[in-house]
Amino acid sequence: MASNIYLVHQRISRLGQRMSAFQINLSPLKEPLGFIKILQWVASIFAFATCGGFTGKTEILVQCSKDSENKTVTAAFGYPFRLNQASFQVPPKVNMCDIKWSDYVLIGDYSSSAEFYVTFAVFVFLYCIAALLLYVGYMNLYRDSRKLPMIDFVITIIATFLWLVSTSAWAKALTDIKIATGHNIIQELEPCHKPSAVTCYFDSVTSMGSLNVSVIFGFLNMILWGGNAWFVYKETSLHSPSNTSTAHGQGGIPPPAGM
């Protein structure tokens, strides 16, 4: 029991000594392992910024039966795209066909897909920062360890899969958002179907180019993480078990001398 405690204490002491030996070395950033991590960091920023920062509105023109002038009704929406909470609004102190437009909202709640995509992108952003600090400051510790490269490899594989899942879900949600805020509004809006009450025309909707870009960056991130898996794999003991075993075998029982 005492010997086990001593071994654990010795390992913790050695780890503490290695962690305290922080030395900035930018050479790993010139290698694919570090350079691609920078690209992943930048791509993750674009992914969550283009989606999480979006705000827009959709407008319809309304003509009352007693008035020949078209008036605008607006519904504002944005991240996290809970469209069922985006009510229609009219200018202050304007009676729009004796209808309380604020009682009517857009259709659909796409917050789960949007929040999953943005939250995952933020976590990736933070992980890239931690990984870059490890590469730049503790590359010797990283390459002398069995566990760190393996953990990095497993996270890389999981991240690649989650980029595929989150981006696909967000791309599908974006398609539905475009439908829900487009011409289909007229078909779903109840006041527009009242006989001889009002006549509705679809006017415009905010361009969703930045949201299209977010989907592109999602799949770009998936490609970057999938491609980087090979370079992370090369650092693990799975790729070169003999070299790693030799490095970790120092202090063990020496091989028997030849006869």
Side-chain angles (χ1 to χ4, degrees):
M1 182 66 180
S3 61
N4 292 336
I5 296 177
Y6 173 76
L7 290 175
V8 172
H9 177 74
Q10 190 177 28
R11 291 178 180 177
I12 295 175
S13 177
R14 290 177 181 175
L15 179 61
Q17 292 176 358
R18 293 180 179 180
M19 293 298 293
S20 63
F22 179 83
Q23 293 182 351
I24 296 179
N25 180 13
L26 299 180
S27 59
L29 301 183
K30 301 177 183 179
E31 302 175 7
L33 182 69
F35 179 72
I36 296 179
K37 190 66 67 180
I38 294 177
L39 296 180
Q40 293 170 341
W41 177 66
V42 174
S44 66
I45 295 176
F46 279 96
F48 68 74
T50 51
C51 178
F54 180 85
T55 56
K57 63 181 180 179
T58 183
E59 296 179 337
I60 63 173
L61 297 177
V62 176
Q63 183 180 17
C64 304
S65 57
K66 300 178 181 180
D67 190 357
S68 60
E69 181 183 359
N70 292 334
K71 299 179 182 179
T72 303
V73 179
T74 304
F77 62 95
Y79 178 84
F81 304 100
R82 294 187 177 94
L83 301 186
N84 55 0
Q85 297 180 7
S87 61
F88 287 88
Q89 303 294 330
V90 298
K93 300 180 180 179
V94 174
N95 182 6
M96 195 78 73
C97 308
D98 296 325
I99 297 175
K100 189 177 180 181
W101 289 93
S102 59
D103 290 342
Y104 300 95
V105 297
L106 297 174
I107 296 177
D109 182 357
Y110 307 98
S111 59
S112 58
S113 297
E115 288 177 337
F116 175 41
Y117 178 81
V118 171
T119 302
F120 175 64
V122 171
F123 275 118
V124 168
F125 166 78
L126 296 176
Y127 176 76
C128 288
I129 293 177
L132 287 171
L133 288 175
L134 179 63
Y135 295 164
V136 171
Y138 300 101
M139 198 59 184
N140 291 334
L141 175 62
Y142 179 85
R143 284 179 169 159
D144 289 344
S145 171
R146 281 179 178 269
K147 294 182 179 180
L148 290 179
M150 186 60 66
I151 293 173
D152 195 14
F153 177 66
V154 172
I155 292 177
T156 300
I157 296 299
I158 294 175
T160 303
F161 174 74
L162 290 180
W163 271 121
L164 174 62
V165 173
S166 62
T167 305
S168 299
W170 168 232
K172 175 59 170 63
L174 178 56
T175 301
D176 295 337
I177 290 170
K178 291 179 179 179
I179 295 175
T181 57
H183 292 81
N184 283 3
I185 293 178
I186 305 302
Q187 302 175 9
E188 303 294 341
L189 203 55
E190 182 181 344
C192 297
H193 301 290
K194 292 182 178 179
S196 68
V198 296
T199 303
C200 302
Y201 306 94
F202 177 78
D203 186 17
S204 65
V205 63
T206 302
S207 173
M208 299 185 188
S210 64
L211 299 182
N212 294 332
V213 171
S214 70
V215 173
I216 294 173
F217 270 100
F219 286 114
L220 176 61
N221 272 288
M222 182 195 69
I223 295 173
L224 286 173
W225 282 85
N228 194 40
W230 166 249
F231 298 103
V232 179
Y233 170 76
K234 289 172 65 177
E235 302 292 334
T236 66
S237 58
L238 298 176
H239 181 259
S240 53
S242 58
N243 294 337
T244 308
S245 300
T246 302
H248 289 272
Q250 295 177 359
I253 299 176
M259 293 299 292

